[in-house]
Amino acid sequence: MVQINGKMEKASGVCLLDYLTQAGYNLVGIAVERNEEIVSKADYDKVFLEEGDVVEVVSFVGGGSR
Amino acid sequence: MADTFTLGGKEFSSRFILGSGKYSMELIRAAVEQAEAQIITLAVRRTNTKENENILDYIPENVTLLPNTSGARNAKEAVRIARMAREIGCGDFVKVEIMRDSKYLLPDNQETILATKMLADEGFVVLPYMYPDLYAARALEEAGAAAIMPLAAPIGSNKGLATKEFIQILIDETDLPVIVDAGIGRPSQACEAMEMGAAAIMANTAIATAKDVPAMAEAFKNAIIAGRKGYLAGIGRVLERGASASDPLTGFLRD
């Protein structure tokens, strides 16, 4: 299992680019962090998710101060 | 000569930094246009794949994005959020916001100094949200901050310049631009902060909670321009007591 944005998903062994595309993420305007390290956009197709990975997919939302 | 100020090598003529929280995306564009803001703050959050609306589509292209690190409780989390924000690909400006207190949302100056140092070393243009303390301001300057953003009053309170005396000290005693952030609730308060010599004003809730968002954005714009002009003109003196006539003291009809 891989933890993605707080949810456990069966994504071990899946290419990050394939996962993001299939899950319906708009690749423009997002950033991905894997195990607290930034994954650069150019590497999405080279990264394969591993058992126990913790992934965050973020984008901008309206905000001033919390 | 144009009256501009510089952050991270970028020159800005607008001294109004607009927050984009608490109102709809349609209103963001109208507010930015009415405010003539050149900098707008954003937050970074987990993406919801079902939400196809991208806030970036509602922000004019010439506007500089200032992502904040809201949600960070310490320097390490703020650095993570800042790196993610930069990876989204809209520049390297970041507003460091670190708070552990959830009642008053007061910034943790110690952690903010640590995060500012780490991020400035990584090439970010760092604008730290801070409690107006002179020693913290000096440490932030030393850490490589591009400006400091002291709070006027607790975030979202619309209470105005509760920390006025201490912000004045920061303006007088540090070389960094001082951007008054948080708590400014009315145009008159933004104007007053600018008269004190603030470099810029950041506002969000005051605009977002107004009945007419674009109109309030415009009111703030005008107040900030007026306050800045007043500061540059040099505010007139205040008498301790008594009066000083402004009319000629000779040539009265009874003479």
Side-chain angles (χ1 to χ4, degrees), chain A residues 17-32:
Chain A
L17 180 62
D18 293 342
Y19 172 81
L20 293 172
T21 313
Q22 278 162 25
Y25 287 103
N26 178 357
L27 300 187
V28 180
I30 63 166
V32 178

Side-chain angles (χ1 to χ4, degrees), chain B residues 91-133:
Chain B
D92 48 16
F93 276 56
V94 65
K95 177 186 168 193
V96 170
E97 239 184 77
I98 302 174
M99 45 198 74
R100 282 174 292 141
D101 168 75
S102 59
K103 186 172 181 190
Y104 297 103
L105 301 176
L106 294 175
D108 182 325
N109 279 354
Q110 288 297 111
E111 291 290 317
T112 300
I113 293 162
L114 290 174
T116 297
K117 169 87 177 111
M118 286 191 264
L119 291 169
D121 287 351
E122 289 185 23
F124 282 88
V125 178
V126 188
L127 287 80
Y129 172 59
M130 52 119 39
Y131 196 82
D133 171 77

Side-chain angles (χ1 to χ4, degrees), chain B residues 18-242:
Chain B
L18 187 66
S20 62
K22 298 184 188 170
Y23 51 107
S24 74
M25 299 217 187
E26 285 76 22
L27 277 175
I28 287 174
R29 181 179 286 274
V32 175
E33 281 169 5
Q34 289 307 311
E36 292 179 21
Q38 293 170 326
I39 302 176
I40 186 162
T41 66
L42 299 164
V44 176
R45 290 290 183 274
R46 283 175 168 168
T47 308
N48 181 348
T49 55
K50 286 172 193 69
E51 221 168 81
N52 290 315
E53 235 182 1
N54 188 340
I55 191 170
L56 297 178
D57 297 337
Y58 292 84
I59 298 173
E61 279 203 0
N62 56 344
V63 171
T64 296
L65 300 183
L66 177 59
N68 66 39
T69 65
S70 69
R73 290 158 298 179
N74 54 47
K76 186 171 167 255
E77 289 178 2
V79 169
R80 272 178 72 193
I81 295 168
R83 285 174 181 157
M84 286 192 264
R86 181 155 71 176
E87 184 59 28
I88 294 172
C90 299
D92 48 16
F93 276 56
V94 65
K95 177 186 168 193
V96 170
E97 239 184 77
I98 302 174
M99 45 198 74
R100 282 174 292 141
D101 168 75
S102 59
K103 186 172 181 190
Y104 297 103
L105 301 176
L106 294 175
D108 182 325
N109 279 354
Q110 288 297 111
E111 291 290 317
T112 300
I113 293 162
L114 290 174
T116 297
K117 169 87 177 111
M118 286 191 264
L119 291 169
D121 287 351
E122 289 185 23
F124 282 88
V125 178
V126 188
L127 287 80
Y129 172 59
M130 52 119 39
Y131 196 82
D133 171 77
L134 180 58
Y135 300 111
R138 285 181 177 152
L140 288 166
E141 188 165 16
E142 186 97 339
I148 47 174
M149 302 183 78
L151 64 92
I155 289 173
S157 68
N158 283 351
K159 280 187 166 173
L161 284 166
T163 59
K164 185 179 175 188
E165 298 294 329
F166 304 97
I167 287 180
Q168 187 70 66
I169 292 171
L170 299 189
I171 290 169
D172 294 344
E173 301 300 324
T174 66
D175 292 327
L176 291 176
V178 174
I179 300 169
V180 179
D181 182 13
I184 298 279
R186 303 166 177 241
S188 58
Q189 293 157 355
C191 185
E192 187 177 6
M194 292 307 295
E195 286 172 358
M196 288 161 56
I201 301 294
M202 150 107 205
N204 189 157
T205 304
I207 316 296
T209 59
K211 277 187 192 143
D212 184 335
V213 168
M216 187 57 86
E218 189 187 10
F220 265 76
K221 173 190 76 181
N222 290 331
I224 289 164
I225 290 169
R228 177 67 185 172
K229 284 193 175 161
Y231 169 74
L232 292 175
I235 305 292
R237 90 281 185 270
V238 176
L239 291 181
E240 275 294 315
R241 53 171 61 85

Side-chain angles (χ1 to χ4, degrees), chain A residues 1 16-17 21 24 27 32 40 49 57 59 62 66:
Chain A
M1 298 294 266
L16 178 61
L17 180 62
T21 313
L27 300 187
V32 178
S40 117
L49 299 172
V57 187
S59 58
R66 65 168 270 163

